[in-house]
Amino acid sequence: MNVNYSETLSQAFVAGPDELKKLVELLQKRIGEVSISADCIDNIQREFTTVKALIDYENPTSRKIFRIYLTAHEGFEKSATIAFRDSSSFSGGVSLSITAREDIVLRLKDKILDIVEGTRPWYNPLTRFFDVANIKHWIVYILLVFSMVILIGFLAFKFGLISDDKEGIELRDQVRGFIIFPSFIFLFVCFAFLSKPFKCLFPLAVFTIGQGKSRFKSLKRVQWGVVISFAVSFAAGCLLLIFK
């Protein structure tokens, strides 16, 4: 009896020659003949006869790959599809679909997931930060606002801007009310204007094929040399103010 397994993994990925070779070889061994296609930024879908042809693709910026589909089948009894998609798709991340005997599906699923897990970059948890449609992230945003209120209030007391007398308490309440609303506005502005640059700095989908490898190396230098360095310096400055 055949069964079907399908799942979409909402994760960032950096897929290169090694991972693609392993997946194609696995599909060929467990399912059958594999067809490979890629959607490119110039609105052309390119088909590749072998995984080597895919890996040898130059992948220039003007014809950059942003989706890859690996599809295998053997008649009507066994089939499998692995799709690597970027955030421009309806559902970004990695999609899996397997139809075969239950024992084949279970073994193949585990092996595919092991390979896919290895494609997650270090910044994977950050890729959903600007997904305002996700209710879980609203909890994070609210916590950020109240954390800002607590931090600013603490610094105000520490530097004597607000005292603990009656007037100081009234002023504290005014400051709290003044901070909360603008903080929400500030976060919305950040989401509106920083979402696209953030996704460029921490892309959901990266294919290190051809020129894509050098592009990703340059991106990593920016991530660590500019963004992460600034974040660490800012955090260190805040800690110095708190514990000074």
Side-chain angles (χ1 to χ4, degrees):
M1 181 183 70
N2 278 6
V3 297
N4 177 263
Y5 161 78
S6 62
E7 183 177 6
T8 297
L9 306 172
S10 298
Q11 64 163 76
F13 61 82
V14 179
D18 291 342
E19 293 81 16
L20 294 170
K21 282 180 182 177
K22 289 178 183 177
L23 290 171
V24 169
E25 290 171 1
L26 187 59
L27 292 178
Q28 287 175 336
K29 181 179 179 182
R30 300 290 185 182
I31 301 295
E33 183 181 356
V34 179
S35 60
I36 305 170
S37 62
D39 291 341
C40 301
I41 203 168
D42 59 352
N43 296 321
I44 294 178
Q45 185 178 73
R46 291 174 168 82
E47 296 184 357
F48 302 90
T49 54
T50 64
V51 68
K52 184 180 184 303
L54 171 63
I55 293 169
D56 290 341
Y57 178 65
E58 187 61 27
N59 198 20
T61 303
S62 60
R63 299 189 296 278
K64 182 175 66 173
I65 293 174
F66 63 92
R67 297 186 199 121
I68 288 180
Y69 303 93
L70 308 176
T71 305
H73 64 88
E74 186 179 275
F76 295 100
E77 296 183 357
K78 294 191 294 183
S79 64
T81 299
I82 305 172
F84 290 90
R85 300 185 174 100
D86 74 346
S87 56
S88 66
S89 306
F90 176 75
S91 179
V94 184
S95 297
L96 312 176
S97 178
I98 309 169
T99 300
R101 289 200 326 265
E102 186 171 354
D103 59 322
I104 294 175
V105 170
L106 291 175
R107 288 197 299 269
L108 185 56
K109 173 180 76 76
D110 290 341
K111 290 184 178 296
I112 291 174
L113 290 177
D114 285 344
I115 297 171
V116 170
E117 185 177 356
T119 67
R120 292 175 184 169
W122 67 269
Y123 59 80
N124 180 59
L126 300 176
T127 56
R128 301 295 172 180
F129 183 79
F130 282 93
D131 185 6
V132 294
N134 192 326
I135 189 64
K136 293 180 181 179
H137 297 147
W138 280 98
I139 298 173
V140 177
Y141 305 148
I142 291 171
L143 289 175
L144 282 174
V145 170
F146 282 102
S147 296
M148 290 171 62
V149 173
I150 293 170
L151 177 61
I152 294 173
F154 176 82
L155 292 175
F157 275 109
K158 183 176 178 62
F159 291 101
L161 299 178
I162 300 177
S163 62
D164 55 0
D165 57 17
K166 183 177 180 181
E167 292 183 358
I169 293 173
E170 291 177 353
L171 180 59
R172 179 193 62 192
D173 293 337
Q174 293 174 5
V175 170
R176 185 189 295 121
F178 178 76
I179 292 172
I180 291 177
F181 181 72
S183 296
F184 277 110
I185 299 299
F186 172 75
L187 286 175
F188 277 117
V189 170
C190 285
F191 300 147
F193 291 98
L194 298 182
S195 178
K196 189 170 181 178
F198 184 90
K199 289 178 180 179
C200 289
L201 285 170
F202 302 101
L204 180 66
V206 175
F207 297 103
T208 53
I209 298 170
Q211 295 180 23
K213 185 175 182 179
S214 60
R215 286 196 297 267
F216 187 59
K217 283 184 178 179
S218 300
L219 181 63
K220 284 198 294 186
R221 286 195 290 270
V222 174
Q223 289 173 346
W224 288 99
V226 179
V227 180
I228 302 303
S229 298
F230 172 79
V232 171
S233 299
F234 179 78
C238 290
L239 290 174
L240 285 174
L241 283 174
I242 292 173
F243 296 106
K244 185 176 179 181

